[in-house]
Amino acid sequence: MFKKIPRKVKLLISVLLSAVILFFIYRNIDIPEMTRVIGSADRYWFLIFLGLFIPQLLTATFRWNSMTHMIGKVKIPFVTSWHHVVGSYSANLIIPGKMGEVVRIPWMRKHNLQCPILVMVFMEKLLDIFSIVLIMMGSLVYISLESGLKDGMHTGGLIIGLSIIVAFMFVFLFRKAAFRLFERLFPGWVSKQKEDSIYHRTKQSLEYLKDKLPLFLLMSIGLWLVQILEFYVIFRMFGINPGFFEVGFGCSLALLAGAIPVSIAGIGPRDAVIISYFSSFAGTETLAAIGIITILRIVIPALLGLPSFFLQSKK
């Protein structure tokens, strides 16, 4: 039997994997030229980029506040939800797979929620992934109507997107029958799954969302449209305009790659997809500079969340 990998070892592996991917990405890049490109970024677009964090954090807070009220059946002040959300952004820097939201578990223990906190956190991740996939597929539809699917990544994204959408909708619409069938086919594996396993968390999340999926999915799509707009503004910052839907597809694909829990805060896989997909729109040094600036999407909210993180942890 394999022993569970300690959390510190997982973190070390994630850091090493991110470092290895970044090494292969940047080893042939002209660093002085990339530095010059970063220094030439348009300040006006950079200010717009910073301003977009306000609707992003407010929307994320509103979703969490609504979720704790409508699903957890506990009314929490909006300010408290703000501390929970922005505080967990700080934890994203040290927890693989951008799962910093797990720090909300001890913060929420004093509230008598009717839904397990871990399930609510996992519910957010399901909504995030599904929203990103929907944005990616919507962008792909527009691209296909305008110019057709010419890139190999378009085909890959189409397969991944359709697979996730069909699987999610099938499991959601026929969740009870689907889980019964799965448990009948794999009884041994299911019996070994602990209560906090991904299998049980998914099963519980879909059940709690059964009457509220459209509302929370709409909030989640709005949240991620703001973040796709952040990517678009970053491109404009360097004088590049691939088009909003090109950015919507390419950066959604990059976000999905960054969500795989093998790196730290998605750094490495996300950069690789951006440089690969947008290679026809700009030079490697410019795309590498864009990749570095996109890290600010994680670092800035994390820095803003530090006071909330320490405040909640102290409590």
Side-chain angles (χ1 to χ4, degrees):
M1 295 292 291
F2 292 102
K3 294 183 178 179
K4 187 177 180 180
I5 301 175
R7 185 171 296 177
K8 290 182 180 179
V9 176
K10 288 182 180 179
L11 177 60
L12 178 60
I13 292 173
S14 297
V15 171
L16 289 175
L17 283 172
S18 288
V20 169
I21 294 171
L22 289 175
F23 170 76
F24 281 104
I25 291 174
Y26 291 97
R27 61 176 179 167
N28 295 321
I29 287 177
D30 186 339
I31 302 299
E33 174 61 17
M34 184 185 71
T35 305
R36 186 197 67 77
V37 171
I38 293 175
S40 66
D42 189 292
R43 272 59 174 176
Y44 173 76
W45 284 106
F46 185 70
L47 289 175
I48 295 176
F49 168 68
L50 293 178
L52 286 171
F53 285 111
I54 297 173
Q56 176 191 337
L57 296 177
L58 286 175
T59 305
T61 301
F62 180 72
R63 183 181 67 172
W64 178 247
N65 186 264
S66 301
M67 195 172 284
T68 53
H69 183 211
M70 299 176 66
I71 298 177
K73 305 301 181 183
V74 172
K75 182 64 176 175
I76 299 174
F78 190 84
V79 174
T80 302
S81 295
W82 169 272
H83 288 310
H84 291 164
V85 170
V86 298
S88 63
Y89 273 75
S90 300
N92 275 330
L93 291 177
I94 58 173
I95 298 180
K98 294 189 70 181
M99 281 298 292
E101 290 84 354
V102 296
V103 299
R104 298 179 198 169
I105 295 171
W107 296 349
M108 295 286 292
R109 280 179 182 158
K110 63 182 179 180
H111 302 288
N112 188 25
L113 294 169
Q114 292 188 19
C115 173
I117 304 168
L118 185 60
V119 171
M120 292 182 65
V121 168
F122 190 74
M123 208 180 296
E124 276 194 328
K125 303 309 287 188
L126 284 179
L127 288 166
D128 287 341
I129 291 172
F130 195 53
S131 299
I132 293 170
V133 170
L134 289 177
I135 292 171
M136 181 181 76
M137 293 300 289
S139 300
L140 192 57
V141 168
Y142 180 86
I143 292 170
S144 66
L145 293 175
E146 284 289 302
S147 56
L149 304 182
K150 302 175 181 178
D151 196 290
M153 284 193 177
H154 288 160
T155 304
L158 179 64
I159 295 171
I160 293 170
L162 284 177
S163 299
I164 293 175
I165 290 173
V166 170
F168 185 89
M169 295 308 297
F170 175 80
V171 172
F172 181 77
L173 293 173
F174 307 101
R175 55 191 176 278
K176 292 184 179 180
F179 283 112
R180 277 199 303 268
L181 176 62
F182 189 84
E183 289 165 5
R184 192 177 298 124
L185 293 173
F186 307 100
W189 182 86
V190 173
S191 64
K192 294 177 182 179
Q193 299 306 300
K194 295 182 179 179
E195 194 62 32
D196 63 347
S197 66
I198 291 179
Y199 173 78
H200 285 296
R201 277 184 277 172
T202 303
K203 185 177 180 180
Q204 290 176 299
S205 297
L206 294 176
E207 194 60 34
Y208 279 110
L209 276 172
K210 60 183 179 181
D211 299 324
K212 304 173 180 66
L213 179 62
L215 174 62
F216 287 110
L217 186 58
L218 187 62
M219 292 182 192
S220 301
I221 291 173
L223 172 62
W224 284 99
L225 280 174
V226 172
Q227 296 189 63
I228 293 297
L229 186 57
E230 290 173 3
F231 278 104
Y232 177 74
V233 169
I234 291 173
F235 277 88
R236 296 304 303 271
M237 204 184 298
F238 293 97
I240 306 167
N241 187 10
F244 182 80
F245 292 99
E246 287 284 358
V247 173
F249 173 79
C251 292
S252 292
L253 195 61
L255 287 167
L256 291 175
I260 300 173
V262 296
S263 62
I264 191 72
I267 297 172
R270 184 180 58 246
D271 303 72
V273 173
I274 289 175
I275 290 175
S276 177
Y277 181 72
F278 293 101
S279 59
S280 61
F281 293 97
T284 306
E285 282 73 22
T286 301
L287 293 173
I290 289 171
I292 289 175
I293 296 298
T294 60
I295 297 174
L296 294 179
R297 295 181 50 260
I298 301 166
V299 173
I300 291 176
L303 294 177
L304 291 174
L306 281 176
S308 297
F309 179 84
F310 290 121
L311 175 65
Q312 295 299 310
S313 298
K314 184 178 179 181
K315 288 181 178 181

